[in-house]
Amino acid sequence: MARKMLIDSEIEEGTNFDFDLFVIGAGSGGVRAARFSASFGAKVAVCELPFHPVSSETIGGVGGTCVIRGCVPKKILVYGSSFGNDIEDARNYGWELSEKVDFNWKKLLEKKTNEINRLNGIYKRLLSNAGVKLFEGEGKIVGPNEVEVTQLDGTKLSYSAKHILIATGSRAQVPDIPGQELGITSDEALSLEEFPKRAVILGGGYIAVEFASIWQGMGSTVSLVFRKELPLRGFDDEMRAVVARNLEARGVNLHPRTNLTQLIKTDDGIKVITDHGEELVADVVLFATGRAPNTKRLNLEAVGVELDNAGAIKVDEYSHTNIPSIWAVGDVTNRFNLTPVALMEGTCFAKTVFGSQPSKPDYSNIPYAVFSIPPLSVVGLSEEQAVEQANGDLLVFTSSFNPMRNTISGRQEKTVMKLVVDAETDKVLGASMCGPDAPEIIQGIAVALKCGATKAQFDSTVGIHPSAAEEFVTMRSVTRRIAAAGKPRTS
């Protein structure tokens, strides 16, 4: 996408604006961009919809999806869910639990809500301390350098800005099936008043797998319905199988190669009809079927901002739209939809536009995790991606073992680790792990991959004993060698 980049030093002399930067959306990317731009001396404003745990087209909150109705509250529920199995495991470690242990969903929900309220306040203070002006209301673009904010009382305010940054994120979508109004999305799932004893989850991605783990761990009967053979499409196939095996072993009912066709309200709950003619009954049906960029109400057509077929804002490698004064970061661009990536994009934007440091986000070797129980975490290429991209042979190293904790607790659940290595250069192309503490371990491995570490350097690193992490530096035997399959070598 060729276009001229307009940075702060290129604004025509004598042009007066209310702000150097106006950000629409105060989620992770928007707040980061606003704060860093202000640190470079820019006069910055940001607008955000009023706060509520469950979003809508007119409700949001400072902190955005991750803080209010995404990663943070979800991780709190993952912690809460994990204690049930921990208590069971504790019995073989000598803990005599004579009384029945009950789970109080409403207490956890209250604690979760208190925490996101606290974080919402922290994000507001971060903006204030950086000198960023916060407007509460809905923002839309009415010109290349003009934003209109509709306040809570309906009054409209108009502001001019040298640069406009769109950081409005995305929203959960629901499938178009009869009875769809009986289902919920992850927004509502994080704020249910009553704990669901029976749950059906449609979807095979992060959110579906995580909620299956959460609710099952808290005592719910969970059915996970997904269209593919395995959940987590796009991840390493071997690790997908490990996650599926773990879910099933912990009691989640898997329904692969299945879709839902209808939901029907009954006296006994929600009757769920599958495309195989199965009937399931649930207290809650969660649609975890993807998210769509929040662009519909921004009035982008008024200034000609280009969108793709999914409604995401098209940007170049600097997060610049086709309109010189308008930029976009985060999920609204549908590039790599993770909170830390939005933070990176916001930082690069601020450096490029106000810091005289043109900076492109680097999407290589981004680590990420699925907070299933136990979690899956990866960095770099999956085996399938490596095979697709490689010009030479690949070496795959794997290790499957019973974690030390399980040897006493008696839990039959393997930890699996994997390294994918370029046979010619010895460079480690990808690492993955499914097991306790996987995200904490892979975060460190990500630094090594970012630095271009070789398998020999992994092997020469002294391990921490006894730990699961040491397995990454003691995998000496090649599990399999994958030939280049006649792919032509390129220089």
Side-chain angles (χ1 to χ4, degrees):
M1 194 186 301
R3 59 175 69 107
K4 183 180 185 296
M5 181 182 295
L6 179 66
I7 60 176
D8 195 51
S9 59
E10 295 176 332
I11 299 294
E12 185 179 337
E13 290 288 335
T15 305
N16 293 317
F17 296 98
D18 296 320
F19 296 99
D20 299 314
L21 171 66
F22 200 107
V23 183
I24 302 177
S28 299
V31 169
R32 172 63 64 88
R35 291 174 54 224
F36 276 46
S37 297
S39 74
F40 288 123
K43 184 180 180 183
V44 182
V46 60
C47 72
E48 177 55 70
L49 297 168
F51 170 84
H52 193 276
V54 180
S55 71
S56 73
E57 290 184 334
T58 56
I59 292 174
V62 175
T65 296
C66 177
V67 170
I68 299 170
R69 61 192 71 86
C71 332
V72 172
K74 173 214 47 199
K75 188 72 179 291
I76 290 171
L77 297 192
V78 169
Y79 282 135
S81 179
S82 300
F83 283 111
N85 291 310
D86 289 347
I87 290 168
E88 286 302 312
D89 290 353
R91 297 180 190 277
N92 282 335
Y93 277 90
W95 289 91
E96 300 295 341
L97 304 171
S98 55
E99 295 183 11
K100 184 177 182 291
V101 178
D102 292 322
F103 171 65
N104 188 327
W105 166 257
K106 291 189 175 181
K107 183 173 184 178
L108 177 57
L109 202 64
E110 180 185 358
K111 295 288 187 182
K112 180 272 298 182
T113 302
N114 290 344
E115 177 61 9
I116 64 173
N117 283 330
R118 185 184 74 86
L119 292 172
N120 175 251
I122 286 175
Y123 268 70
K124 286 181 177 179
R125 287 194 294 277
L126 287 172
L127 290 170
S128 177
N129 292 343
V132 176
K133 175 67 174 175
L134 173 63
F135 296 97
E136 193 170 49
E138 182 178 11
K140 70 176 183 179
I141 294 174
V142 292
N145 297 95
E146 188 175 358
V147 173
E148 181 183 88
V149 179
T150 302
Q151 299 186 107
L152 303 186
D153 63 2
T155 59
K156 300 181 186 298
L157 304 173
S158 184
Y159 298 96
S160 61
K162 293 179 184 177
H163 303 275
I164 297 170
L165 176 67
I166 301 169
T168 49
S170 61
R171 287 187 59 210
Q173 299 298 290
V174 299
D176 185 14
I177 61 173
Q180 64 178 37
E181 70 282 357
L182 300 174
I184 63 170
T185 69
S186 55
D187 280 12
E188 294 86 4
L190 291 163
S191 298
L192 287 174
E193 290 187 8
E194 299 294 333
F195 178 72
K197 293 297 184 182
R198 303 164 298 177
V200 171
I201 301 172
L202 175 62
Y206 289 75
I207 294 170
V209 167
E210 289 168 345
F211 271 100
S213 286
I214 289 167
W215 284 337
Q216 186 282 325
M218 292 173 177
S220 181
T221 299
V222 178
S223 294
L224 180 61
V225 178
F226 48 96
R227 291 180 297 175
K228 301 295 182 181
E229 179 72 26
L230 292 167
L232 300 175
R233 180 171 59 89
F235 283 76
D236 186 287
D237 284 349
E238 189 171 10
M239 305 309 287
R240 294 170 68 196
V242 172
V243 172
R245 193 161 59 242
N246 289 344
L247 288 170
E248 206 157 29
R250 285 183 176 245
V252 175
N253 301 307
L254 301 185
H255 298 262
R257 303 179 303 279
T258 304
N259 209 342
L260 301 187
T261 58
Q262 186 178 9
L263 306 185
I264 303 168
K265 187 174 179 60
T266 71
D267 292 339
D268 188 36
I270 303 169
K271 183 191 291 185
V272 180
I273 312 297
T274 76
D275 56 358
H276 299 309
E278 284 182 282
E279 292 187 3
L280 307 170
V281 179
D283 302 309
V284 161
V285 177
L286 170 62
F287 295 133
T289 47
R291 300 178 65 85
N294 263 331
T295 53
K296 288 182 179 178
R297 295 169 64 94
L298 293 172
N299 196 39
L300 298 178
E301 66 279 2
V303 289
V305 173
E306 292 179 358
L307 305 178
D308 68 14
N309 292 335
I313 296 175
K314 290 184 179 181
V315 292
D316 65 11
E317 54 195 352
Y318 291 95
S319 300
H320 204 185
T321 75
N322 61 305
I323 304 301
S325 56
I326 300 177
W327 311 68
V329 298
D331 287 12
V332 76
T333 64
N334 199 28
R335 286 177 284 181
F336 206 118
N337 298 337
L338 294 172
T339 296
V341 174
L343 295 173
M344 172 178 66
E345 291 170 355
T347 300
C348 290
F349 161 81
K351 287 181 175 180
T352 297
V353 179
F354 297 106
S356 301
Q357 307 168 51
S359 303
K360 303 175 187 177
D362 179 4
Y363 299 100
S364 63
N365 292 317
I366 293 173
Y368 45 104
V370 180
F371 289 99
S372 50
I373 302 174
L376 166 67
S377 191
V378 302
V379 62
L381 302 179
S382 67
E383 181 177 333
E384 291 73 30
Q385 289 169 331
V387 168
E388 179 68 26
Q389 297 179 26
N391 292 316
D393 291 1
L394 297 172
L395 304 178
V396 178
F397 298 80
T398 61
S399 179
S400 177
F401 57 93
N402 209 27
M404 180 183 251
R405 170 172 161 158
N406 290 358
T407 61
I408 301 299
S409 72
R411 183 174 294 280
Q412 298 301 307
E413 189 169 75
K414 300 285 189 182
T415 285
V416 179
M417 294 179 173
K418 184 173 185 176
L419 291 174
V420 180
V421 179
D422 185 301
E424 182 178 353
T425 65
D426 199 42
K427 184 176 179 180
V428 179
L429 303 177
S432 49
M433 174 181 175
C434 186
D437 302 317
E440 313 296 336
I441 293 170
I442 289 293
Q443 179 67 81
I445 299 292
V447 176
L449 265 64
K450 198 72 173 176
C451 294
T454 63
K455 182 62 167 62
Q457 289 170 324
F458 270 67
D459 293 344
S460 67
T461 301
V462 176
I464 297 172
H465 184 76
S467 71
E470 69 179 313
E471 198 72 17
F472 271 119
V473 299
T474 59
M475 285 192 275
R476 300 285 193 268
S477 301
V478 177
T479 303
R480 56 186 170 273
R481 185 184 187 105
I482 302 173
K487 285 190 175 184
R489 290 181 179 273
T490 57
S491 58

